[in-house]
Amino acid sequence: MKLKTHLKSLLLSSLLVTLCVTQASALEYGFDGADDYLFADPTSQEVIYQAEDQNVNRSKTAALIAPGFGTPTSYLRGSGEYLTPNLAPGTMSGGLVNAVGNNSYTDTGPGAYPAPDTSISAGTYPPAGNENFTASTIGYTDVTSDLYYDGGHLGMLKIPAIGVNVKIYQGTDSATLAKGAGHFTDTSIWAGNVCVAGHNRETNCYFGEIHTLNIGDEITLTTKLGTRTYSVTSVQKISETDGSATGSTSDNRITLFTCVRNESAYRWCVTAIERAV
């Protein structure tokens, strides 16, 4: 009796093994996707692909800083402030701005966006046939090879109130700021708005105390083009994405930037206007 029971168990085990094990050669492989009924219908609209327009400016000169969340223009395509205002579309050579960027431009007739007339002398831009236009001069001096000193710097910056006496180099990357103050490459080096950045901590923290400057404090810039003395007119904390302070101006000024300690979303911004002679 025990033998029969043992044989039955052995036969059942063999049958189960036979049913569960399939030869590898019998397996089938495929690359077909799952059947459609396993997935819901897509909710997105049909995508329309278009050929890229090669005539659209996609460089940083056309880049925009997006408006703030919830602002009236936050949902409008193409809204915001230019990342590099002085190089924005419509800016002419020498920093002059046409109808796109010049608040002094008014026109109620044809030709609201006329092409620049190269026959007109620098400092004015009156579109032909527009009697309502009032021109303003925007100061700008480009960095050229003859403006560099032998040491590779562009000038000297002095702020007596906080003991700063530092060389200014072209660029604002880490390697440049390790040597001294850095000049924003897209801004003027003499006429108009000269923008300079510097570290506020550790080694070479030349701008560590600029937020303590008072209105009227003196700042002196010396380049191969001469020496200018400025008076501080504002000291403020701005968003790191706020590029408005780097725009070209009709007055001569210097704008200083540095980080805010433990507040990575903000920058200290000091503006100083040329003192009257």
Side-chain angles (χ1 to χ4, degrees), residues 248-269:
S248 297
T249 59
S250 57
D251 59 11
N252 293 324
R253 66 175 63 187
I254 190 165
T255 309
L256 310 181
F257 298 89
T258 194
C259 297
V260 178
R261 189 181 297 271
N262 300 324
E263 295 184 49
S264 60
Y266 297 94
R267 299 288 184 267
W268 286 116
C269 176

Side-chain angles (χ1 to χ4, degrees), residues 116-259:
D117 184 354
T118 56
S119 65
I120 299 172
S121 60
T124 59
Y125 180 53
N130 184 359
E131 294 77 11
N132 296 323
F133 178 82
T134 57
S136 62
T137 302
I138 304 299
Y140 186 86
T141 304
D142 196 14
V143 174
T144 54
S145 59
D146 58 311
L147 294 182
Y148 285 90
Y149 289 91
D150 291 338
H153 57 288
L154 289 168
M156 293 292 300
L157 181 71
K158 293 183 179 181
I159 313 177
I162 55 176
V164 170
N165 186 2
V166 60
K167 292 179 179 179
I168 301 173
Y169 295 87
Q170 180 73 325
T172 56
D173 57 274
S174 297
T176 301
L177 296 184
K179 297 185 294 183
H183 171 250
F184 283 73
T185 57
D186 294 335
T187 68
S188 175
I189 191 57
W190 184 244
N193 187 14
V194 181
C195 297
V196 183
H199 282 315
N200 75 332
R201 64 174 64 187
E202 299 176 354
T203 59
N204 297 330
C205 55
Y206 298 105
F207 284 10
E209 301 297 329
I210 65 170
H211 63 286
T212 67
L213 290 172
N214 296 312
I215 304 302
D217 280 346
E218 178 182 295
I219 299 176
T220 301
L221 170 68
T222 300
T223 73
K224 283 194 172 184
L225 296 172
T227 297
R228 276 206 175 107
T229 302
Y230 307 83
S231 292
V232 173
T233 57
S234 71
V235 179
Q236 58 182 328
K237 186 189 296 185
I238 63 174
S239 169
E240 65 168 341
T241 60
D242 185 354
S244 60
T246 62
S248 297
T249 59
S250 57
D251 59 11
N252 293 324
R253 66 175 63 187
I254 190 165
T255 309
L256 310 181
F257 298 89
T258 194
C259 297

Side-chain angles (χ1 to χ4, degrees), residues 33-81:
D35 295 331
D36 291 340
Y37 68 86
L38 295 175
F39 299 92
D41 293 333
T43 57
S44 60
Q45 298 179 351
E46 182 179 356
V47 178
I48 301 176
Y49 294 95
Q50 297 179 342
E52 182 177 352
D53 188 350
Q54 299 297 326
N55 293 320
V56 175
N57 183 1
R58 293 182 174 84
S59 68
K60 70 175 182 179
T61 61
L64 294 173
I65 300 173
F69 179 78
T71 58
T73 59
S74 61
Y75 66 94
L76 296 178
R77 184 178 181 182
S79 61
E81 298 179 0

Side-chain angles (χ1 to χ4, degrees), residues 73-93:
T73 59
S74 61
Y75 66 94
L76 296 178
R77 184 178 181 182
S79 61
E81 298 179 0
Y82 281 116
L83 179 63
T84 53
N86 58 303
L87 298 178
T91 301
M92 299 186 296
S93 175

